[in-house]
Amino acid sequence: GENVEQHPSTLSVQEGDSAVIKCTYSDSASNYFPWYKQELGKRPQLIIDIRSNVGEKKDQRIAVTLNKTAKHFSLHITETQPEDSAVYFCAASSPSGGSYIPTFGRGTSLIVHP
Amino acid sequence: DVKVTQSSRYLVKRTGEKVFLECVQDMDHENMFWYRQDPGLGLRLIYFSYDVKMKEKGDIPEGYSVSREKKERFSLILESASTNQTSMYLCASSLANSLGYTFGSGTRLTVV
């Protein structure tokens, strides 16, 4: 099965700095890579995703890059703000019976200091 | 907006009790999932279901069972709760052949 490694487990930055979270995956059949943000006491919510036919995707201050050859993908947050503080999960998934069952990383706790 | 509703936000049960965690979604999603979330371990899949009365084991099914008698409802059952099942439990749903997941708000279960 798929194995997703996520680093770092904790990331502390000053407001305005950039933050980068990295993930690796093992199954070359994986072709969809979502990122979820979970604020304290709330449900995980999808913030950005990328499919394997694309190398990079941006949405305002967040971007995701994918290197299929190396089997790694990263989340980049620029100009961090205190409201970016949360736990971030990466995931990798491939079709299984017509549906996608993601395997999640262990999460990164991002702390943005004002 | 899809809603995935978990019946209890917090639950305290005694060791050996039979525990039911309920999840209901209102958008006719075919797929439903139960995850367990523990600090440092991320989200681990317990069971999932593609359709009514269908179930598949995830990565950590031991000690759990599920029931899906209606399309909108997916129940997680702890036959005999143990303290190592103290955790946050998250339900999720998605359409068949869809990439998107919607999570519920979670049930924090404490077994004493």
Side-chain angles (χ1 to χ4, degrees):
Chain A
E2 177 65 275
N3 181 48
V4 177
E5 299 283 341
Q6 182 173 349
H7 299 281
S9 56
T10 306
L11 181 58
S12 184
V13 300
Q14 289 295 129
E15 183 177 0
D17 286 352
S18 295
V20 180
I21 302 170
K22 298 182 179 182
C23 291
T24 60
Y25 63 99
S26 61
D27 187 353
S28 56
S30 288
N31 58 5
Y32 174 63
F33 307 91
W35 285 87
Y36 287 83
K37 175 184 180 181
Q38 186 178 27
E39 297 177 17
L40 191 62
K42 297 189 176 180
R43 70 190 73 195
Q45 294 200 304
L46 180 70
I47 55 170
I48 195 168
D49 56 12
I50 191 167
R51 301 201 67 169
S52 58
N53 57 350
V54 176
E56 183 175 359
K57 184 177 178 180
K58 290 185 76 171
D59 183 3
Q60 298 182 328
R61 295 187 297 107
I62 59 173
V64 58
T65 58
L66 171 65
N67 183 327
K68 279 206 72 178
T69 304
K71 295 199 189 74
H72 66 70
F73 56 112
S74 302
L75 178 72
H76 304 252
I77 306 174
T78 58
E79 299 171 24
T80 53
Q81 300 167 5
E83 51 265 39
D84 294 328
S85 296
V87 178
Y88 292 80
F89 293 97
C90 64
S93 60
S94 57
S96 172
S99 293
Y100 285 81
I101 312 294
T103 298
F104 288 89
R106 294 190 174 197
T108 296
S109 178
L110 173 64
I111 303 163
V112 180
H113 299 280
Chain B
D1 201 22
V2 178
K3 279 191 179 171
V4 179
T5 304
Q6 295 183 231
S7 55
S8 302
R9 191 80 174 100
Y10 298 95
L11 212 51
V12 180
K13 295 292 181 181
R14 294 194 180 276
T15 300
E17 275 193 80
K18 189 169 186 176
V19 182
F20 293 86
L21 302 183
E22 305 287 348
C23 176
V24 177
Q25 49 90 9
D26 66 357
M27 285 299 289
D28 206 35
H29 281 182
E30 288 81 11
N31 303 328
M32 296 189 75
F33 309 83
W34 275 107
Y35 286 89
R36 172 176 172 158
Q37 182 177 16
D38 299 288
L41 296 179
L43 297 162
R44 293 181 292 167
L45 182 63
I46 305 172
Y47 267 97
F48 61 99
S49 170
Y50 288 128
D51 203 347
V52 175
K53 297 194 184 294
M54 293 186 69
K55 59 184 179 183
E56 298 282 344
K57 291 181 179 179
D59 299 320
I60 53 163
E62 297 79 18
Y64 304 94
S65 62
V66 290
S67 172
R68 191 155 180 213
E69 296 296 317
K70 293 184 178 181
K71 190 174 185 178
E72 66 271 18
R73 185 180 296 270
F74 192 35
S75 303
L76 180 69
I77 303 158
L78 287 66
E79 294 289 341
S80 178
S82 64
T83 54
N84 63 11
Q85 292 177 310
T86 291
S87 186
M88 171 68 83
Y89 291 87
L90 286 165
C91 176
S93 72
S94 70
L95 284 167
N97 303 314
S98 169
L99 299 171
Y101 253 37
T102 301
F103 282 94
S105 295
T107 296
R108 183 164 294 283
L109 172 67
T110 302
V111 183
V112 298

